[in-house]
Amino acid sequence: MNKKRTAPYGAWESPVTTDLVAGKTVTLSSLQADQGALYWLEARPNENGRSVLVRRGSDGRIADLTPAPLNVASRVHEYGGGAYLVADGRIVFSDKPTGAVWLIDGDAPARQITAVDGCRYADFAFDPVRGRVLAVREDHRPRPGKPAAEPRAAIVALDITGRMPPAENAGQMLIDGHDFLAAPRLSPDGKTLVWLSWDHPDMPWDGTRLWLAPIDQTKSETVRLVAGAIPEAIVQPTWSPDGALHFASDRSGWWNLYVVRDGGIHPVCPVEGEIGGPHWVFGQRYFAFLQDGRIVASLVDRGIRRAVLIEGRSLTPLELGPVQECPVPAGAGLAYIATPATAPPAVTRLTQLGGTPEAVKAAGPSVLGAEDVSVGEPFTFPTRDGGEGHGFWYAPTNAAVAGPADARPPLIVISHGGPTAMSTNGFSLAIQWWTSRGIAVVDVNYGGSAGFGRAYRERLYGRWGLVDVEDCAAAAAYLANEGLVDRDRIAIRGGSAGGFTTLAALTNTKLFKAGASHYGVADLKLLASDTHKFESRYLDRLVGPLPQAEALYRDRSPIHHLDRLSCPVIFFQGLDDKVVPPNQAEDMAEAMAARGLAVAHYTFDGEGHGFRQGSTIRRVLELELGFYGRIFGFTPPGVSEQVEVRNLG
């Protein structure tokens, strides 16, 4: 056996390069199947984050369907999703930069069906009998006398026959009157439409309503409320092949499946696990019907999403390993995006249930051997409020290098965004970047995270900046007490809402010795007044309604508590960010510098909320690694740019 050489933690030479993370790896999403072909989206950092629609035909050939500059994505609610749909050989999709909707009909070239300035579209449903496609429209066109009005939500019907010029095809209004709308779905006979709505101050994981109406009478007294009179989060209304309406709801405290039948709503297969999730983006899929009427679903347990088969009231695990979302029925088999803990995600198919999985397209090359991969181990830790928190522990791992026997590794605590999101342990080169260099990682599903039931999410209500901070600190302290990490070299990092948790942790605890905020929130009141419609009332429950809770907003905002901050921070911010405006990072960094605190601040043109360009991702990786090296006293090899930290001796 080869003996490992010894090197300081953080200074290990690593097989995980910036090119591997940002250039050779794509993001796979939105898998669909139609007529023997598979379709999915690839977000490509080496094409400035452009999202490309890819098709694998029944002959096995893989080809791009959308050439540059088309970017298959949506900006509805800013987070988008539901950007394309394929059915019976037709494809409809949204182009993110222009907001235009395109149609590919069989082998015909793609053509625009809408090109209306100020309108964005997502969450499509074909209405072939009437020659149209239904969509959620977010209308940003100015309204006379209402210069500051929010964009308007509607479900509309877009003509796809070509009879209407794209510039005039804004959509025939079917449903409006709510702050937010989603999931227009036609019954199999094409006669009945269902949809979801929610209104300020609710977020869709607080309370949504499910509606039903004849497709030709959506503006009359025939509109019926199906579910949502009680506070429940409903997602993915879906018609079974025999015309029974199904949906996922957390009315029991867990997202489970329900069916509307015999004038009532009935649970399909009750389970203490999540078949469902928060509606951050459109088009999420948690269950689907097989040809024989059985249901395939994705069930979250301990933060890991796996496929299950539901037959009657019986639930059977499918041995597919972790999956990104519910598999797609494809002929007699299934297709899914596998998310193993030891290799990049991959579009995968089964020609029949119980068959051998075939990898169709991987997100990146499998260049790491088993001894180089750190597997995220689920663990629990005691929380300050007497409960139990959840996270994934990643030990430093490298086949060729080990740390000194008398030392413990530095730890990076990841606080995910959302905050109503969920971390899982699918293989991530962004995490292996750290662990392969001798830095431990803990990815925390703090109170408020999805995947652990409604009560766990609601731990954060009124306590954002408290519960999340306490849980991140408790996870880190637990690992330090177990002797797994160096208590004096613990950093915390996060993006968006996770950036807020990072900054709040640095101003409210002394446990962390460094922090990295990626487009994070520093001033809650500024966020509440300057963010987009979807999140404009999010803080009503996370903190409190304004103006009544103004004092709480100030008390929870890190920018007002720099006197409590005693460790270095690095800020990364996109200048085109519409969710967290760039002035938040700038104000925080300048205020820190003025007080003589160690701070670094980097901004990136052309980047929004989340970094998508390969050049940005490469630079951020190296800068953040170099930052930790300067703070924690190690020299990472191969870093091409030295980080500049003001006020650091």
Side-chain angles (χ1 to χ4, degrees), residues 323-505:
V323 295
Q324 186 181 93
E325 61 179 352
C326 174
V328 179
L334 297 171
Y336 55 97
I337 297 177
T339 56
T342 57
V347 174
T348 306
R349 70 170 190 149
L350 292 173
T351 56
Q352 59 183 7
L353 291 183
T356 302
E358 174 197 352
V360 172
K361 176 65 183 292
S366 295
V367 299
L368 300 185
E371 293 184 351
D372 282 316
V373 177
S374 179
V375 175
E377 299 291 343
F379 77 105
T380 58
F381 54 88
T383 60
R384 185 173 177 179
D385 58 8
E388 188 176 72
H390 302 270
F392 292 101
W393 155 249
Y394 295 85
T397 306
N398 189 303
V401 194
D406 60 348
R408 294 291 178 268
L411 173 68
I412 292 177
V413 177
I414 297 178
S415 54
H416 66 65
T420 310
M422 181 188 80
S423 293
T424 188
N425 69 341
F427 179 84
S428 166
L429 280 170
I431 288 179
Q432 304 302 321
W433 167 266
W434 305 111
T435 57
S436 62
R437 287 170 166 77
I439 301 172
V441 171
V442 60
D443 202 351
V444 184
N445 276 313
Y446 49 77
S449 302
F452 303 91
R454 187 174 183 114
Y456 195 78
R457 292 202 313 275
E458 293 183 349
R459 283 183 61 214
L460 202 62
Y461 280 11
R463 302 187 67 203
W464 191 32
L466 301 177
V467 165
D468 47 330
V469 168
E470 292 167 359
D471 284 4
C472 286
Y478 174 84
L479 296 171
N481 292 339
E482 292 291 310
L484 296 172
V485 299
D486 185 343
R487 185 182 295 272
D488 294 324
R489 295 193 294 172
I490 300 177
I492 184 169
R493 72 188 299 270
S496 189
F500 167 74
T501 298
T502 292
L503 297 174

Side-chain angles (χ1 to χ4, degrees), residues 125 143 159 191-192 197 249 258 268 286 299 306 320 356 365-366 376 382 414 418 471 483 503 570 575 594 596 638:
R143 285 177 277 177
D159 176 75
K191 296 180 179 180
T192 306
S197 74
S249 166
Y258 294 85
V268 173
Y286 303 103
L299 174 70
R306 300 183 188 275
L320 306 181
T356 302
S366 295
I414 297 178
D471 284 4
L503 297 174
I570 188 168
L575 293 178

Side-chain angles (χ1 to χ4, degrees), residues 22 395 400 407 487 536 592:
R487 185 182 295 272
S536 62
M592 286 184 64

Side-chain angles (χ1 to χ4, degrees), residues 11-100:
W12 299 356
E13 291 186 357
S14 167
V16 183
T17 65
T18 57
D19 281 343
L20 186 61
V21 179
K24 297 180 181 178
T25 301
V26 300
T27 300
L28 304 172
S29 66
S30 305
L31 179 65
Q32 298 184 34
D34 182 61
Q35 297 182 338
L38 298 179
Y39 300 79
W40 63 88
L41 295 180
E42 292 185 8
R44 299 173 177 171
N46 60 358
E47 296 186 38
N48 292 328
R50 187 172 77 94
S51 188
V52 181
L53 179 59
V54 181
R55 179 181 187 268
R56 180 197 186 274
S58 56
D59 58 1
R61 295 181 182 179
I62 297 175
D64 293 354
L65 294 183
T66 51
L70 289 172
N71 186 349
V72 183
S74 167
R75 289 188 59 199
V76 179
H77 298 174
E78 298 300 335
Y79 293 106
Y84 87 98
L85 176 69
V86 56
D88 299 323
R90 282 179 165 175
I91 305 166
V92 63
F93 66 89
S94 165
D95 177 45
K96 183 177 180 179
T98 63

Side-chain angles (χ1 to χ4, degrees), residues 181-250:
L181 294 160
R185 301 293 181 259
L186 270 176
S187 57
D189 62 9
K191 296 180 179 180
T192 306
L193 179 68
V194 295
W195 67 94
L196 294 173
S197 74
W198 65 97
D199 294 286
H200 289 316
D202 283 338
M203 298 300 286
W205 44 87
D206 297 325
T208 53
R209 294 191 170 195
L210 175 61
W211 304 88
L212 177 149
I215 184 63
D216 55 357
Q217 299 180 52
T218 57
K219 292 288 185 180
S220 71
E221 65 278 0
T222 59
V223 173
R224 177 166 70 89
L225 178 65
V226 178
I230 60 172
E232 59 180 316
I234 301 167
V235 292
Q236 197 193 334
T238 301
W239 299 92
S240 68
D242 63 359
L245 178 59
H246 290 65
F247 60 92
S249 166
D250 69 348

